[in-house]
Amino acid sequence: MKDFDLDYLIKNVADLCSIPIRYYKSNGETIVYTRVELKIDPFDYVKNEVFNLKNNIDYYVTKNNFYYIITQNKDEKIVIGPSAFTQPQDYELNRIIFELKLSSEEGISFKNTMKTIIPYPIETLLQIACSINYVLNNEKVKLSDILLKDLPTFTPSISPLENEEETHFSHNTLKIENEILDIVRTGDLNRLDLYVENIGAIRTNLVADTLLRQTKDMFIVTVTLASRTAMKEGLDNEEGLSLSDLFIHRIENAHNTNELNAVILDALREYTTRVHYLKSIENQSKFTLELSNYIIHNISKKITIQDLVNKFYISKTSLCNKVKKESGYSINEFINQTKITVAKNLLETTTNSILSISDYLGYSSQNHFEKVFKKIVGITPRKFRNYKNN
């Protein structure tokens, strides 16, 4: 294997799949093979997590459902990715840009890059990694070995006290589930924060494969119920189901209960936040609820009346009259009211700059955003954040 040209193999795989591959050589040299222009490399934000993986072949799934495959030995690392389970949507990419606190110019570059990423089943890239691993480590690994790598082959003994604890935990599942669903149903973010602080880690000491599988199944049910609860409270059905699919993907690819905890808490915050947004606009009719959903789903776009005409299959005059009659606002006022509701939450719950919030909400400039915010709320975004924080 010493004479095998690994560079040649990696370059051909990168060209074939159109997915970036990074080769970290033993001499300290790094080569990136890619057809995708990586002005801002998303791998930079998860490099430490991926490099902390220990197996010769391993994978890491981000909370935004992109994943990376690593093949390595003690001297060299080869990273394939990112790829994704499905083609990323604009609103998902805008959220990532906001979370990474990228500037407007960086955000545009990042979005253009991520839109060129080709979705692949994770199994396909893992099979490619098996071939690379055979060259790198002279080791034959089956796909099933990788997918089951996190499941122990033994069941540890459980003392009577631990067994009692487990039974008590199972009996309390229904109570916990009902409390979680009530938080989602009411869109109560403060109660969610308090709940997360008090509940602590959710059984992070579970190690047996049957218990890990049981926890995954329980969380899948919880995500499914949370999505249905949010949809009953007005969340768009397509959006609710898409989110559910993404969170279930993350649950299935979690390595341990610590990762499962992170997924379920992300899911609860996402559904609770979306219901909170919808409930912030009082006395919504079915139509204004659908309109709010559309605005939130396209929060980073400059939404035009024509966009809404196309969405709701209604004439411009009828649309304007209907929005005014059912909400009391003009269309532009309704859009701004919805966006400022989102802005208030972001100012309270994130440390992102006012400029990044303005960009995320699709305003043409920070100055425009601040004027709209002050007109609706009565104070500037900065004063609002200081007031809430104090």
Side-chain angles (χ1 to χ4, degrees):
M1 291 299 170
K2 187 183 294 183
D3 298 329
F4 199 96
D5 192 340
L6 190 56
D7 289 88
Y8 176 79
L9 173 64
I10 295 171
K11 183 180 185 303
N12 274 278
V13 170
D15 287 342
L16 176 67
C17 299
S18 294
I19 290 183
I21 302 183
R22 300 156 195 80
Y23 183 14
Y24 297 87
K25 297 188 173 186
S26 57
N27 63 5
E29 182 185 5
T30 300
I31 302 177
V32 181
Y33 300 98
T34 179
R35 287 185 173 184
V36 177
E37 188 178 6
L38 294 172
K39 287 184 179 177
I40 294 177
D41 190 347
F43 181 62
D44 292 341
Y45 297 96
V46 294
K47 183 176 179 179
N48 290 339
E49 288 84 348
V50 176
F51 276 11
N52 282 334
L53 298 172
K54 303 300 182 186
N55 295 311
N56 286 354
I57 304 175
D58 220 324
Y59 60 91
Y60 178 79
V61 183
T62 73
K63 70 174 186 176
N64 302 108
N65 301 293
F66 290 97
Y67 56 82
Y68 297 85
I69 313 292
I70 186 169
T71 307
Q72 62 186 337
N73 57 30
K74 64 178 182 179
D75 299 316
E76 299 182 302
K77 298 179 186 292
I78 297 151
V79 179
I80 306 173
S83 187
F85 300 103
T86 58
Q87 192 69 42
Q89 300 297 308
D90 268 354
Y91 76 92
E92 294 172 312
L93 295 176
N94 289 334
R95 186 71 191 186
I96 297 171
I97 289 167
F98 178 75
E99 289 171 351
L100 296 179
K101 301 182 179 180
L102 302 181
S103 68
S104 298
E105 185 177 340
E106 289 172 332
I108 292 170
S109 174
F110 182 83
K111 185 185 286 190
N112 290 339
T113 296
M114 299 306 279
K115 281 190 172 183
T116 63
I117 298 299
I118 299 176
Y120 279 98
I122 195 168
E123 293 85 357
T124 300
L125 296 189
L126 284 170
Q127 285 180 319
I128 291 172
C130 288
S131 300
I132 295 174
N133 180 67
Y134 181 58
V135 175
L136 186 66
N137 294 312
N138 195 22
E139 174 187 46
K140 294 182 179 180
V141 178
K142 294 184 293 184
L143 190 60
S144 59
D145 296 331
I146 304 166
L147 295 178
L148 299 176
K149 67 185 182 305
D150 58 306
L151 300 181
T153 56
F154 66 94
T155 302
S157 59
I158 301 176
S159 71
L161 180 59
E162 288 173 327
N163 195 43
E164 245 177 70
E165 263 184 29
E166 196 60 56
T167 303
H168 178 69
F169 173 72
S170 299
H171 288 167
N172 276 295
T173 299
L174 182 60
K175 180 181 177 183
I176 292 171
E177 187 178 278
N178 287 335
E179 183 171 1
I180 286 171
L181 295 182
D182 193 55
I183 290 171
V184 174
R185 181 183 61 78
T186 56
D188 193 336
L189 290 167
N190 291 330
R191 187 174 160 202
L192 177 63
D193 289 338
L194 187 62
Y195 177 79
V196 171
E197 284 178 15
N198 291 334
I199 195 171
I202 306 173
R203 300 299 292 171
T204 56
N205 60 331
L206 300 184
V207 292
D209 56 346
T210 54
L211 293 178
L212 183 63
R213 181 66 256 173
Q214 178 185 334
T215 307
K216 286 187 176 185
D217 291 342
M218 182 179 73
F219 282 2
I220 287 171
V221 171
T222 301
V223 165
T224 303
L225 291 174
S227 71
R228 299 304 188 274
T229 299
M231 287 188 287
K232 282 183 180 178
E233 296 304 315
L235 181 64
D236 179 72
N237 286 352
E238 183 180 343
E239 192 169 349
L241 293 173
S242 295
L243 283 170
S244 176
D245 289 344
L246 290 174
F247 284 121
I248 289 171
H249 267 303
R250 285 181 60 192
I251 288 170
E252 287 293 358
N253 285 281
H255 294 77
N256 51 54
T257 49
N258 283 325
E259 290 183 13
L260 284 173
N261 290 337
V263 176
I264 196 64
L265 293 177
D266 281 347
L268 293 178
R269 176 159 292 282
E270 189 68 34
Y271 283 119
T272 305
T273 299
R274 289 175 186 247
V275 172
H276 176 78
Y277 290 161
L278 295 173
K279 287 185 178 295
S280 298
I281 303 173
E282 298 178 356
N283 302 319
Q284 294 184 98
S285 65
K286 184 176 184 295
F287 171 73
T288 55
L289 191 61
E290 290 176 356
L291 181 56
S292 297
N293 267 313
Y294 179 82
I295 295 167
I296 291 169
H297 190 74
N298 296 276
I299 199 74
S300 299
K301 281 182 60 178
K302 178 174 172 52
I303 299 170
T304 67
I305 292 178
Q306 190 59 47
D307 290 332
L308 300 178
V309 166
N310 295 340
K311 165 67 179 176
F312 294 102
Y313 304 103
I314 189 173
S315 72
K316 180 177 177 180
T317 301
S318 297
L319 176 69
C320 293
N321 291 338
K322 191 173 181 64
V323 174
K324 186 69 174 179
K325 180 181 177 182
E326 297 192 18
S327 71
Y329 296 113
S330 69
I331 290 177
N332 285 334
E333 287 171 339
F334 189 92
I335 292 171
N336 281 324
Q337 287 283 344
T338 305
K339 289 194 172 191
I340 295 307
T341 297
V342 176
K344 287 160 67 177
N345 178 262
L346 295 175
L347 288 165
E348 285 186 69
T349 60
T350 76
T351 59
N352 288 70
S353 69
I354 292 171
L355 176 59
S356 71
I357 292 174
S358 169
D359 289 342
Y360 174 62
L361 296 176
Y363 285 98
S364 58
S365 67
Q366 180 177 337
N367 185 50
H368 181 210
F369 166 64
E370 290 179 340
K371 284 182 178 178
V372 174
F373 189 96
K374 186 173 182 180
K375 182 178 179 181
I376 291 174
V377 181
I379 55 177
T380 65
R382 185 167 284 99
K383 286 184 178 179
F384 178 86
R385 171 174 270 170
N386 291 339
Y387 172 75
K388 289 295 182 178
N389 288 343
N390 293 329

